[in-house]
Amino acid sequence: MRVLVVEDNEDLQVAVPAALRSAALAVDLAVSIAAADEALFVNAYDCVVFDRLLPDGDSIRYVRHRREQGWAVPVLFLTGLDTLADRVDGFEYGGDDYLVKPFAVAELTARVLSLCRRAGTGRTPVLRYQDVEMDTGRREVRRGGVLLGLTAKEFAVLEYLITRTDRTVSRSELIEHCWDAAADPMSNVVDATIRRLRTKLRTPDLIEAVRGQGYRLVRADGA
């Protein structure tokens, strides 16, 4: 799942993405409405976290304009504006959630994950494939009932593969959806993550490489 954070406070530009990445989310950062608009034009996101008062205006007006055009990506407003009228405006202008500063990062992460799951059509809290069970709410993976210690990125890659069991997923697609804009598409980061994931999933091997195409989950029938 990929999230865009739009924030001009330098401390929060570090703290918020770090908290969300620890929950296996890919996070991009924008510091203004104009930069956010450009990122939204280029990339697909499961959720956007908007600070309200940005250098080029109040983001709720931008969100209302996008909603009028049919834009449906979930939005969480993260702001110091805490009056009842401010919160009501946030929802009436198209926000899906509203969190007032200062805030607990655990609460922010839980709310963003909830909005991301809402955006994922047909996504269920618990995913299953063969003897693998993935609890997307608790961020836990078990194989054959044994709890596996996956990193946030390993979890994200496995989740992406499990939700696309009907086809091969390319390396560039994994980069796009499981990493953020800072990832180098020419690096071996995907292959390295897959190698670690295969080791942790143990035998029989669950992930196979398709030469020249990418990766897919091994089908139970061997096809």
Side-chain angles (χ1 to χ4, degrees), residues 96-156:
D96 298 276
D97 204 350
Y98 197 100
L99 187 58
V100 175
K101 303 174 184 178
F103 57 90
V105 292
E107 181 180 6
L108 169 66
T109 301
R111 291 188 182 209
V112 170
L113 285 170
S114 177
L115 291 176
C116 286
R117 286 193 290 269
R118 184 189 307 177
T121 303
R123 181 176 290 151
T124 58
V126 178
L127 304 173
R128 293 180 177 86
Y129 187 78
Q130 296 187 28
D131 60 345
V132 173
E133 181 178 282
M134 170 173 274
D135 189 323
T136 60
R138 295 184 177 181
R139 319 304 291 173
E140 293 179 349
V141 176
R142 288 175 168 79
R143 185 171 195 188
V146 178
L147 182 65
L148 308 179
L150 301 188
T151 66
K153 202 58 64 182
E154 291 160 359
F155 188 99

Side-chain angles (χ1 to χ4, degrees), residues 15-136:
V16 172
L20 297 178
R21 286 174 182 139
S22 71
L25 297 171
V27 184
D28 292 338
L29 178 68
V31 299
S32 65
I33 294 171
D37 187 59
E38 181 177 353
L40 289 165
F41 179 78
V42 173
N43 303 306
Y45 293 98
D46 296 282
C47 178
V48 182
V49 179
F50 271 107
D51 184 17
R52 273 198 56 179
L53 300 183
L54 293 160
D56 48 355
D58 189 336
S59 63
I60 67 170
R61 293 181 174 82
Y62 171 79
V63 171
R64 180 175 65 175
H65 174 68
R66 291 297 303 268
R67 292 295 192 229
E68 290 171 349
Q69 297 176 325
W71 186 60
V73 176
V75 167
L76 183 149
F77 287 115
L78 185 63
T79 176
L81 301 176
D82 61 353
T83 69
L84 176 59
D86 290 325
R87 293 195 294 272
V88 169
D89 283 347
F91 289 109
E92 289 189 345
Y93 277 56
D96 298 276
D97 204 350
Y98 197 100
L99 187 58
V100 175
K101 303 174 184 178
F103 57 90
V105 292
E107 181 180 6
L108 169 66
T109 301
R111 291 188 182 209
V112 170
L113 285 170
S114 177
L115 291 176
C116 286
R117 286 193 290 269
R118 184 189 307 177
T121 303
R123 181 176 290 151
T124 58
V126 178
L127 304 173
R128 293 180 177 86
Y129 187 78
Q130 296 187 28
D131 60 345
V132 173
E133 181 178 282
M134 170 173 274
D135 189 323
T136 60

Side-chain angles (χ1 to χ4, degrees), residues 148-170:
L148 308 179
L150 301 188
T151 66
K153 202 58 64 182
E154 291 160 359
F155 188 99
V157 169
L158 181 59
E159 181 180 15
Y160 196 79
L161 290 172
I162 285 181
T163 57
R164 289 154 182 84
T165 56
D166 59 333
R167 62 183 178 86
T168 300
V169 176
S170 68

Side-chain angles (χ1 to χ4, degrees), residues 192-214:
T193 302
I194 292 286
R195 282 197 299 272
R196 294 194 302 269
L197 187 52
R198 277 172 154 171
T199 299
K200 292 181 179 181
L201 287 169
R202 309 186 315 277
T203 56
D205 201 356
L206 190 69
I207 303 172
E208 64 180 353
V210 180
R211 184 180 297 274
Q213 297 183 46

